[in-house]
């Protein structure tokens, strides 16, 4: 039996904050692995412009390549359509019935949990792991395990905005991801 952390997101782009959060949860909860799970279309972002799946997946592969316990799970990209965590976790529990799953979310998503699709059923399938973020609370009527991590206030939207403005993103994303963004001219890179 493995204890697997699931870290879902658009990863548009993946950044050092994602890697820091995953590594802290991995060690705090003594998990076997962290599976980064890029989603096709998150239900709460259906009307936002998201970079194509191939580029997001490639950047994620680059970002996690040097960590032996970081893996990528593409189940939501393969399924297509809106990515509901409940559907995904039912599928993963069927595929890996002996493993325990820990679903990692930031405090912004903890506050949103009451609005998640089939949340009452979902909490039977996974243990939610809440990671503190500035400006958000970890209060929720649902059971979560809290993990304290060093504050690193970076977001994918901040990185996209900095790229658009021609500002440096060095040390905010892994160097290989920065080079990929520049090489593919993502986010308005000149």
């Amino acid at each position: 039996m493995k204890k697997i952390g699931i870290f879902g997101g658009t990863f548009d782009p993946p950044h050092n904050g994602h890697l820091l959060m995953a590594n802290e949860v991995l060690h705090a909860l003594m998990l076997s692995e962290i599976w980064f799970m890029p989603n096709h279309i998150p239900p709460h972002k259906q009307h936002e412009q998201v970079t194509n799946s191939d580029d997001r997946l490639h950047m994620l592969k680059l970002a996690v390549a040097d960590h032996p316990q970081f893996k990528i799970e593409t189940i939501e990209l393969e399924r297509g359509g809106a990515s509901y965590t409940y559907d995904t976790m039912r599928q993963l529990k069927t595929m890996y019935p002996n493993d325990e799953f820990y679903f990692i979310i930031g405090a912004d998503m903890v506050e949103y949990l009451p609005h998640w699709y089939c949340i009452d059923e979902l909490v039977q399938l996974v243990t939610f792991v809440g990671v503190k973020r500035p400006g958000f609370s970890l209060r929720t009527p649902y059971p979560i395990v809290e993990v304290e991590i060093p504050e690193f206030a970076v977001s994918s939207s901040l990185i996209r905005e900095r790229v658009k403005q021609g500002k440096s993103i060095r040390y905010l994303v892994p160097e290989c991801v920065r080079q990929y963004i520049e090489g593919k001219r993502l986010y308005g890179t000149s």
Side-chain angles (χ1 to χ4, degrees), residues 2 5 16 19 40 55 59 75 160 167 180 185-186:
K2 287 200 261 189
N16 289 339
L19 301 175
H40 183 65
D55 283 326
M59 287 188 285
I75 192 170
R160 291 191 305 270
K167 294 180 177 175
Y180 185 86
R185 299 185 181 220
L186 299 177

Side-chain angles (χ1 to χ4, degrees), residues 86-123:
Y86 173 68
D87 297 334
T88 302
M89 293 315 304
R90 277 188 44 216
Q91 197 174 344
L92 287 176
K93 284 298 275 183
T94 301
M95 293 164 66
Y96 307 98
N98 299 322
D99 293 337
E100 264 180 60
F101 291 100
Y102 294 78
F103 202 88
I104 304 163
I105 55 176
D108 54 332
M109 284 288 112
V110 170
E111 289 185 359
Y112 194 72
L113 275 179
H115 307 288
W116 281 37
Y117 176 69
C118 292
I119 185 62
D120 294 324
E121 294 83 359
L122 182 56
V123 295

Side-chain angles (χ1 to χ4, degrees), residues 9-188:
T10 50
F11 302 109
D12 189 19
H15 54 69
N16 289 339
H18 291 133
L19 301 175
L20 172 68
M21 186 186 304
N23 196 58
E24 292 293 314
V25 171
L26 176 80
H27 293 289
L29 301 182
M30 295 180 290
L31 303 181
S32 311
E33 297 173 342
I34 300 283
W35 293 0
F36 287 78
M37 191 168 60
N39 41 39
H40 183 65
I41 304 168
H44 63 289
K45 292 186 179 181
Q46 287 188 61
H47 305 292
E48 291 181 27
Q49 182 67 38
V50 176
T51 303
N52 78 60
S53 297
D54 290 339
D55 283 326
R56 292 185 296 118
L57 181 59
H58 195 83
M59 287 188 285
L60 194 54
K61 285 178 179 175
L62 290 170
V64 305
D66 66 349
H67 196 302
Q69 291 168 285
F70 286 179
K71 312 287 183 213
I72 296 176
E73 172 53 66
T74 58
I75 192 170
E76 291 192 343
L77 289 180
E78 292 160 15
R79 190 171 61 228
S83 299
Y84 290 100
T85 304
Y86 173 68
D87 297 334
T88 302
M89 293 315 304
R90 277 188 44 216
Q91 197 174 344
L92 287 176
K93 284 298 275 183
T94 301
M95 293 164 66
Y96 307 98
N98 299 322
D99 293 337
E100 264 180 60
F101 291 100
Y102 294 78
F103 202 88
I104 304 163
I105 55 176
D108 54 332
M109 284 288 112
V110 170
E111 289 185 359
Y112 194 72
L113 275 179
H115 307 288
W116 281 37
Y117 176 69
C118 292
I119 185 62
D120 294 324
E121 294 83 359
L122 182 56
V123 295
Q124 305 304 313
L125 299 175
V126 300
T127 299
F128 276 103
V129 179
V131 177
K132 291 187 176 172
R133 279 183 78 171
F136 295 95
S137 153
L138 287 178
R139 284 193 306 259
T140 179
Y142 298 97
I144 62 164
V145 174
E146 292 182 30
V147 174
E148 194 77 50
I149 67 163
E151 193 173 310
F152 186 64
V154 64
S155 66
S156 295
S157 57
L158 169 85
I159 290 163
R160 291 191 305 270
E161 194 55 38
R162 288 181 69 101
V163 170
K164 211 177 286 174
Q165 294 170 357
K167 294 180 177 175
S168 173
I169 57 170
R170 192 177 294 269
Y171 307 117
L172 298 177
V173 297
E175 182 61 14
C176 51
V177 171
R178 186 185 69 76
Q179 290 172 358
Y180 185 86
I181 290 169
E182 287 181 4
K184 293 288 256 175
R185 299 185 181 220
L186 299 177
Y187 314 121

